[in-house]
Amino acid sequence: MDKFIVFGGNRLEGEVEVNGAKNAVLPLMCAALLTRGETIIDNVPNLRDVRTMCQLLESMGASTHFENRTVHIDTSALEKFEADYELVRKMRASVLVLGPLLARYNKAKVSLPGGCAIGARPIDLHLRGLEALGANIDLKGGYIEATCEQLTGASYRFDYPTVGGTENLIMAAALCKGRTILENAAREPEIVDLANFINAMGGNISGAGSDLIVIEGVEELKPTRYSVMSDRIEAGTFIAAGIITKGEVLVKNCPVDGMKAVLERFRATGAQLTIQGNDVLVKMEGPIQPIDIRTQPHPGFPTDMQAQMMALMSVADGRSAISETVFENRFMHVSELRRMGADIICEGSMAVIRGKERLEGAPVMATDLRASACLVLAGLVSRGVTEIRRIYHLDRGYERIEEKLQPLGAKIQRVAES
Ligand code: UD1
């Protein structure tokens, strides 16, 4: 198991490039199941979750090849329609095979994901939506067993705009008989990427990016080649690194249109952001202004940036408040930040942060993906050495983050833990 050793106190300066988006590529890889033959996806980040998804597809009989940011998925020999517990346990996004398997093979058996560190995260809305399209769903022995004669288009209104639920339903409806209307759908940019991908395969989806998505089912989808959008959370994390170290960093290849809420909050900290096409130049001088944040579904402030913002607020000049409305248990980084000297009080889904001039390096433990990024940011501005354990969480969503931060002047090393 690897850990990071971070020596704090260096100003970051230079250029960094953002990778393809983890949360976009995983559903795209599942959507390859909607067709027979070889799908090719470019701009794929080299992440543990992508490799786990390759393993999952291979366990069903697909063949995959992942090299030089391109993944090839050939579904010609698919023979098993199951996602077993070991893989779903490792990566919740595995449940996204449910919709495409049902749509194309009329059956699927997928392990129930169970809880995870950041909350219970049920998938009841995915299942209800699939039932609305005509699926029969049984829960047996920890598995979802879904079958259908043929999915048929229907209207379905989500009680909550779930990202994964919207993706599962879009994929299922793409091969349905007739028209499906999804109301109160999630509006995240990754949903738009998925719809564009399926349309490139010959699908007929409109309205993605709004809360009303209309899918005209088609009989067949053809394999395609597609380049995945860039990662708005990785982009936001690098901008936060520029701000927290009072640096000057050009973050290249940001999906700026999908980052409005985050960019607006960064500006409120006093950072100067200059947007040139898809590049964001961040420059920070003077004290970091405290800001309040409320996480919400897109286009609101993303929960996946909440922990990184908390690191920033821990060294702001005053009092900030963060309200987490998307996940019920997403403040696990608070106790680790406190070990570094941060002054944070939590009550339920609210955290109040009184900024300190500096944090102190300490041994800390990463608890989930975004919490790990928060600890890296905190380490960059701490006095002394921060040792971050369990960075395998970080490797799920950031490709060798240390190799991107080092050229900017960060003193961060990956070492194997004995
Ligand atoms: C996706 C992202 C994750 C991000 C989240 C919210 C991927 C692979 N992951 O996760 O990084 O943090 O969106 O932006 O894209 N819920 C239910 N019932 C359901 C589905 C969801 O109650 O059937 C609840 C969840 O428990 C959670 C909230 O809705 O509290 C949001 O979940 P959802 O939007 O589905 O997130 P994910 O797709 O799991």
Side-chain angles (χ1 to χ4, degrees):
M1 224 187 286
D2 292 350
K3 64 180 176 185
F4 276 154
I5 308 283
V6 189
F7 299 88
N10 289 331
R11 179 174 187 267
L12 299 194
E13 231 180 84
E15 282 183 23
V16 62
E17 179 116 11
V18 175
N19 283 342
K22 167 181 96 70
N23 285 354
V25 75
L26 298 176
L28 259 54
M29 291 174 77
C30 295
L33 294 169
L34 289 167
T35 179
R36 184 186 163 83
E38 191 185 33
T39 295
I40 304 175
I41 309 173
D42 297 306
N43 195 31
V44 179
N46 189 6
L47 300 174
R48 205 155 65 98
D49 274 9
V50 172
R51 293 190 295 272
T52 306
M53 187 58 85
C54 286
Q55 255 180 296
L56 173 60
L57 296 174
E58 284 187 3
S59 76
M60 297 177 188
S63 61
T64 68
H65 181 75
F66 181 24
E67 205 177 359
N68 293 334
R69 307 210 168 278
T70 296
V71 67
H72 296 248
I73 302 165
D74 192 335
T75 55
S76 307
L78 211 79
E79 54 177 13
K80 204 176 141 213
F81 312 103
E82 263 185 62
D84 82 18
Y85 178 61
E86 278 315 307
L87 290 164
V88 180
R89 189 176 60 87
K90 270 197 207 164
M91 184 183 66
R92 285 181 45 86
S94 308
V95 299
L96 296 178
V97 299
L98 192 55
L101 285 179
L102 254 183
R104 192 160 138 67
Y105 300 97
N106 296 340
K107 59 183 168 192
K109 184 175 170 189
V110 175
S111 169
L112 276 164
C116 72
I118 61 172
R121 294 178 89 173
I123 55 159
D124 53 325
L125 306 176
H126 302 223
L127 301 184
R128 266 194 256 155
L130 292 170
E131 280 174 336
L133 300 184
N136 301 306
I137 295 191
D138 271 335
L139 302 182
K140 275 192 208 149
Y143 277 78
I144 305 153
E145 294 189 11
T147 52
C148 62
E149 298 258 307
Q150 139 109 75
L151 293 180
T152 310
S155 286
Y156 179 69
R157 183 180 172 80
F158 289 100
D159 286 348
Y160 181 89
T162 152
V163 175
T166 303
E167 290 166 345
N168 242 332
L169 267 277
I170 287 179
M171 290 188 276
L175 288 179
C176 256
K177 201 162 141 213
R179 171 185 299 174
T180 299
I181 299 175
L182 300 178
E183 289 177 70
N184 198 26
R187 291 182 275 173
E188 270 67 4
E190 293 76 16
I191 307 265
V192 179
D193 218 33
L194 175 64
N196 289 343
F197 175 67
I198 296 175
N199 285 344
M201 295 164 98
N204 186 351
I205 302 168
S206 53
S210 78
D211 61 357
L212 187 84
I213 302 179
V214 179
I215 304 128
E216 303 285 351
V218 296
E219 261 180 35
E220 197 190 11
L221 292 166
K222 301 227 177 320
T224 191
R225 183 165 192 156
Y226 188 87
S227 182
V228 73
M229 65 175 281
S230 50
D231 195 312
R232 61 198 169 100
I233 307 301
E234 192 195 20
T237 305
F238 288 129
I239 297 173
I243 299 175
I244 205 166
T245 62
K246 310 265 173 86
E248 184 168 346
V249 178
L250 181 65
V251 185
K252 298 184 81 168
N253 204 19
C254 302
V256 285
D257 290 342
M259 295 179 66
K260 290 199 174 93
V262 172
L263 296 177
E264 185 277 318
R265 290 288 75 193
F266 278 143
R267 284 201 167 101
T269 67
Q272 278 177 46
L273 300 185
T274 314
I275 297 173
Q276 304 150 334
N278 291 329
D279 300 344
V280 177
L281 175 68
V282 53
K283 197 170 167 186
M284 186 68 187
E285 283 165 351
I288 298 170
Q289 297 306 314
I291 52 169
D292 293 345
I293 286 165
R294 182 181 168 79
T295 65
Q296 275 174 326
H298 195 77
F301 190 90
T303 174
D304 285 350
M305 277 300 299
Q306 179 258 108
Q308 299 89 317
M309 278 303 203
M310 194 179 287
L312 206 53
M313 293 305 96
S314 298
V315 289
D317 189 23
R319 175 190 174 281
S320 308
I322 295 183
S323 154
E324 170 60 63
T325 76
V326 179
F327 290 110
E328 68 270 29
N329 186 23
R330 210 174 193 179
F331 279 150
M332 281 164 313
H333 41 285
V334 168
S335 46
E336 302 302 303
L337 284 174
R338 280 198 196 121
R339 304 192 68 246
M340 301 174 77
D343 179 352
I344 305 170
I345 296 169
C346 283
E347 212 181 295
S349 60
M350 281 286 296
V352 174
I353 306 117
R354 284 174 218 281
K356 294 259 186 92
E357 210 166 291
R358 266 284 24 198
L359 298 176
E360 299 288 335
V364 289
M365 197 88 91
T367 48
D368 70 65
L369 168 54
R370 306 305 169 184
S372 327
C374 146
L375 297 176
V376 169
L377 293 174
L380 292 176
V381 283
S382 291
R383 210 186 322 251
V385 183
T386 301
E387 204 180 294
I388 310 173
R389 300 212 173 137
R390 298 202 180 159
I391 55 167
Y392 56 84
H393 289 295
L394 194 90
D395 293 336
R396 287 188 45 210
Y398 294 85
E399 182 184 321
R400 305 293 278 186
I401 196 171
E402 74 281 15
E403 289 177 10
K404 291 194 169 188
L405 291 171
Q406 284 157 355
L408 300 176
K411 294 233 172 348
I412 174 168
Q413 289 163 9
R414 178 185 290 260
V415 291
E417 215 173 344
S418 53

